[in-house]
PDB file of all heavy atoms in Angstrom:
ATOM      1  N   GLN A 913      19.747  19.007   2.753  1.00  0.00           N
ATOM      2  CA  GLN A 913      20.999  19.515   3.309  1.00  0.00           C
ATOM      3  C   GLN A 913      21.833  18.378   3.917  1.00  0.00           C
ATOM      4  O   GLN A 913      23.029  18.551   4.174  1.00  0.00           O
ATOM      5  CB  GLN A 913      20.762  20.582   4.379  1.00  0.00           C
ATOM      6  CG  GLN A 913      19.970  21.803   3.872  1.00  0.00           C
ATOM      7  CD  GLN A 913      20.697  22.563   2.792  1.00  0.00           C
ATOM      8  OE1 GLN A 913      21.893  22.376   2.605  1.00  0.00           O
ATOM      9  NE2 GLN A 913      19.976  23.364   2.034  1.00  0.00           N
ATOM     10  N   SER A 914      21.165  17.257   4.260  1.00  0.00           N
ATOM     11  CA  SER A 914      21.926  16.097   4.728  1.00  0.00           C
ATOM     12  C   SER A 914      21.078  14.864   4.342  1.00  0.00           C
ATOM     13  O   SER A 914      19.898  14.993   4.072  1.00  0.00           O
ATOM     14  CB  SER A 914      22.164  16.138   6.220  1.00  0.00           C
ATOM     15  OG  SER A 914      20.947  15.913   6.921  1.00  0.00           O
ATOM     16  N   VAL A 915      21.764  13.700   4.308  1.00  0.00           N
ATOM     17  CA  VAL A 915      21.022  12.464   3.908  1.00  0.00           C
ATOM     18  C   VAL A 915      21.267  11.410   4.978  1.00  0.00           C
ATOM     19  O   VAL A 915      22.363  11.205   5.439  1.00  0.00           O
ATOM     20  CB  VAL A 915      21.545  11.950   2.533  1.00  0.00           C
ATOM     21  CG1 VAL A 915      20.860  10.656   2.167  1.00  0.00           C
ATOM     22  CG2 VAL A 915      21.309  13.002   1.471  1.00  0.00           C
ATOM     23  N   LEU A 916      20.162  10.771   5.373  1.00  0.00           N
ATOM     24  CA  LEU A 916      20.262   9.627   6.264  1.00  0.00           C
ATOM     25  C   LEU A 916      19.995   8.332   5.501  1.00  0.00           C
ATOM     26  O   LEU A 916      18.958   8.183   4.874  1.00  0.00           O
ATOM     27  CB  LEU A 916      19.277   9.772   7.411  1.00  0.00           C
ATOM     28  CG  LEU A 916      19.080   8.559   8.335  1.00  0.00           C
ATOM     29  CD1 LEU A 916      20.407   8.083   8.927  1.00  0.00           C
ATOM     30  CD2 LEU A 916      18.121   8.865   9.475  1.00  0.00           C
ATOM     31  N   PHE A 917      20.975   7.435   5.576  1.00  0.00           N
ATOM     32  CA  PHE A 917      20.882   6.134   4.946  1.00  0.00           C
ATOM     33  C   PHE A 917      20.564   5.123   6.051  1.00  0.00           C
ATOM     34  O   PHE A 917      21.399   4.872   6.879  1.00  0.00           O
ATOM     35  CB  PHE A 917      22.270   5.798   4.425  1.00  0.00           C
ATOM     36  CG  PHE A 917      22.356   5.576   2.987  1.00  0.00           C
ATOM     37  CD1 PHE A 917      22.327   6.654   2.120  1.00  0.00           C
ATOM     38  CD2 PHE A 917      22.490   4.310   2.432  1.00  0.00           C
ATOM     39  CE1 PHE A 917      22.422   6.464   0.783  1.00  0.00           C
ATOM     40  CE2 PHE A 917      22.584   4.111   1.093  1.00  0.00           C
ATOM     41  CZ  PHE A 917      22.546   5.187   0.253  1.00  0.00           C
ATOM     42  N   ASN A 918      19.387   4.569   6.044  1.00  0.00           N
ATOM     43  CA  ASN A 918      19.040   3.630   7.123  1.00  0.00           C
ATOM     44  C   ASN A 918      18.734   2.272   6.542  1.00  0.00           C
ATOM     45  O   ASN A 918      17.685   2.065   5.928  1.00  0.00           O
ATOM     46  CB  ASN A 918      17.865   4.170   7.932  1.00  0.00           C
ATOM     47  CG  ASN A 918      17.627   3.349   9.206  1.00  0.00           C
ATOM     48  OD1 ASN A 918      18.483   2.556   9.602  1.00  0.00           O
ATOM     49  ND2 ASN A 918      16.479   3.509   9.821  1.00  0.00           N
ATOM     50  N   ILE A 919      19.621   1.327   6.726  1.00  0.00           N
ATOM     51  CA  ILE A 919      19.497   0.009   6.074  1.00  0.00           C
ATOM     52  C   ILE A 919      19.518  -1.081   7.148  1.00  0.00           C
ATOM     53  O   ILE A 919      20.467  -1.126   7.965  1.00  0.00           O
ATOM     54  CB  ILE A 919      20.624  -0.255   5.066  1.00  0.00           C
ATOM     55  CG1 ILE A 919      20.683   0.805   3.994  1.00  0.00           C
ATOM     56  CG2 ILE A 919      20.498  -1.653   4.487  1.00  0.00           C
ATOM     57  CD1 ILE A 919      19.595   0.778   2.972  1.00  0.00           C
ATOM     58  N   PHE A 920      18.465  -1.890   7.206  1.00  0.00           N
ATOM     59  CA  PHE A 920      18.504  -3.110   8.012  1.00  0.00           C
ATOM     60  C   PHE A 920      18.348  -4.265   7.053  1.00  0.00           C
ATOM     61  O   PHE A 920      17.264  -4.562   6.602  1.00  0.00           O
ATOM     62  CB  PHE A 920      17.386  -3.085   9.076  1.00  0.00           C
ATOM     63  CG  PHE A 920      17.705  -3.963  10.250  1.00  0.00           C
ATOM     64  CD1 PHE A 920      17.762  -3.442  11.545  1.00  0.00           C
ATOM     65  CD2 PHE A 920      17.995  -5.314  10.083  1.00  0.00           C
ATOM     66  CE1 PHE A 920      18.082  -4.220  12.618  1.00  0.00           C
ATOM     67  CE2 PHE A 920      18.330  -6.094  11.172  1.00  0.00           C
ATOM     68  CZ  PHE A 920      18.358  -5.543  12.451  1.00  0.00           C
ATOM     69  N   GLY A 921      19.454  -4.903   6.749  1.00  0.00           N
ATOM     70  CA  GLY A 921      19.459  -5.891   5.670  1.00  0.00           C
ATOM     71  C   GLY A 921      18.755  -7.191   6.040  1.00  0.00           C
ATOM     72  O   GLY A 921      19.006  -7.757   7.098  1.00  0.00           O
ATOM     73  N   GLY A 922      17.847  -7.590   5.150  1.00  0.00           N
ATOM     74  CA  GLY A 922      17.321  -8.948   5.188  1.00  0.00           C
ATOM     75  C   GLY A 922      17.788  -9.556   3.885  1.00  0.00           C
ATOM     76  O   GLY A 922      18.843 -10.166   3.799  1.00  0.00           O
ATOM     77  N   ILE A 923      17.004  -9.322   2.825  1.00  0.00           N
ATOM     78  CA  ILE A 923      17.454  -9.668   1.479  1.00  0.00           C
ATOM     79  C   ILE A 923      18.564  -8.709   1.063  1.00  0.00           C
ATOM     80  O   ILE A 923      19.516  -9.071   0.400  1.00  0.00           O
ATOM     81  CB  ILE A 923      16.303  -9.546   0.439  1.00  0.00           C
ATOM     82  CG1 ILE A 923      15.136 -10.456   0.797  1.00  0.00           C
ATOM     83  CG2 ILE A 923      16.797  -9.822  -0.945  1.00  0.00           C
ATOM     84  CD1 ILE A 923      14.088 -10.538  -0.270  1.00  0.00           C
TER      85      ILE A 923
END
Side-chain angles (χ1 to χ4, degrees):
Chain A
Q913 302 297 344
S914 71
V915 177
L916 170 55
F917 240 77
N918 190 14
I919 302 288
F920 204 121
I923 299 189

